[in-house]
Amino acid sequence: MESHGDDHALEILVARGKAAQSGLRPSMRRVTTATAIYNDLREAIISMRLVPGTPLQEKALTQRFGVSKTPMREALIRLADDGLVDIFPQSGTFVSHVRLAEIPESTVIRQSLEDTAVQRTAEIANAADIARIDAIIARQRMLADLGDTDAFHEADEAFHEVIALIAGYPNIPRLLRQVKVQIDRARRLTLPVAGRMHQVIDEHEPIRDAIARHDVEAARAAMKTHLAVMRLDIDRLRLEYPDYFV
């Protein structure tokens, strides 16, 4: 049975799902609604508002979202393809556990792509580009002071995305969004830890400074150091949340 916390998370998703349906032409509604539900459930799972092992009862979800079974099934199948949902024909559908076996390969891919992006950005960034990075870091600092982990995570994503955009590689964020889903789920568990959000900022600032100096090797080294911290966190998280990982 779902906990009251899961009920609250799903109620928020329902409101979003219904808002996404308004104003749609009938011919568009099924596909667009499936995508809206997919996006909302995906974010709830990655943010750990829906924790590993949470049952996702199709009937209850269709009633809460006010949709038919077809778009709901499409959304759940896409989530299963992402490794975020486990579908057991005889038992039900559940939020998947964080798959530790996938994290090393995902980390290698992420490090390679982030290294490529930061290297190029350090070569070509201008004053306007540095101002964009500074604005994101300033927002992160404000959100860290407020303790807003959800918005901080979005700003963290924006920091890495803007580096790729400055480099002229707009597809890197899209590729990483798929590759690092398990990493992101583990990361969300670290943000509430006292001081972690400010630590992230402390890791971002040397990256920013090296880019501003056009010091390519220093930018690459700072990015490598920043990404390596997650490996240490996972060892601790596995002990603190043994039921969340497989």
Side-chain angles (χ1 to χ4, degrees):
M1 183 176 294
E2 296 169 3
S3 69
H4 292 301
D6 296 333
D7 285 339
H8 179 66
L10 289 173
E11 289 300 330
I12 294 173
L13 296 177
V14 171
R16 291 176 179 172
K18 289 181 177 178
Q21 295 178 56
S22 62
L24 298 180
R25 297 195 302 272
S27 62
M28 295 174 60
R29 184 163 297 162
R30 183 176 64 84
V31 173
T32 305
T33 300
T35 299
I37 294 169
Y38 162 80
N39 288 335
D40 286 343
L41 286 173
R42 187 182 190 280
E43 172 56 26
I45 293 169
I46 290 178
S47 69
M48 289 292 185
R49 292 197 301 272
L50 292 177
V51 301
T54 300
L56 298 175
Q57 299 175 351
E58 185 179 296
K59 183 177 180 180
L61 287 171
T62 55
Q63 290 174 345
R64 284 173 168 161
F65 277 95
V67 298
S68 66
K69 291 182 179 180
T70 300
M72 184 58 64
R73 286 176 178 171
E74 289 179 1
L76 292 175
I77 288 171
R78 288 180 65 185
L79 290 167
D81 289 341
D82 288 347
L84 295 174
V85 160
D86 293 322
I87 300 174
F88 303 104
Q90 304 304 320
S91 302
T93 301
F94 303 86
V95 175
S96 71
H97 291 76
V98 180
R99 299 171 181 173
L100 287 173
E102 296 182 9
I103 289 179
E105 181 179 22
S106 299
T107 300
V108 169
I109 295 170
R110 184 186 186 193
Q111 288 176 335
S112 178
L113 292 175
E114 297 265 22
D115 178 73
T116 298
V118 80
Q119 177 176 342
R120 180 59 177 159
T121 294
E123 292 171 349
I124 67 172
N126 57 33
D129 296 326
I130 302 304
R132 292 169 67 188
I133 296 173
D134 285 343
I136 294 171
I137 292 177
R139 176 167 172 75
Q140 284 188 295
R141 188 172 289 108
M142 177 192 71
L143 294 169
D145 290 341
L146 292 172
D148 189 336
T149 56
D150 286 342
F152 184 90
H153 176 77
E154 293 176 3
D156 184 48
E157 293 288 287
F159 175 84
H160 290 272
E161 180 176 347
V162 77
I163 290 173
L165 294 177
I166 293 168
Y169 303 134
N171 286 319
I172 282 181
R174 178 181 59 80
L175 294 171
L176 287 177
R177 183 174 182 266
Q178 180 63 31
V179 167
K180 64 188 183 75
V181 289
Q182 304 299 343
I183 296 175
D184 283 344
R185 297 174 76 193
R187 284 173 59 210
R188 294 301 284 267
L189 292 172
T190 71
L191 292 181
V193 174
R196 176 55 188 155
M197 287 188 283
H198 285 97
Q199 181 184 345
V200 170
I201 297 168
D202 290 342
E203 294 163 11
H204 282 177
E205 287 180 331
I207 299 171
R208 176 265 179 213
D209 291 344
I211 291 171
R213 298 194 307 270
H214 300 290
D215 188 334
V216 173
E217 292 308 313
R220 295 177 66 193
M223 180 66 78
K224 183 177 181 180
T225 298
H226 172 50
L227 298 180
V229 171
M230 192 63 240
R231 292 202 297 269
L232 303 175
D233 287 338
I234 287 172
D235 291 337
R236 178 180 58 78
L237 291 171
R238 190 175 186 177
L239 295 175
E240 289 188 18
Y241 302 96
D243 294 337
Y244 287 5
F245 295 87
V246 293

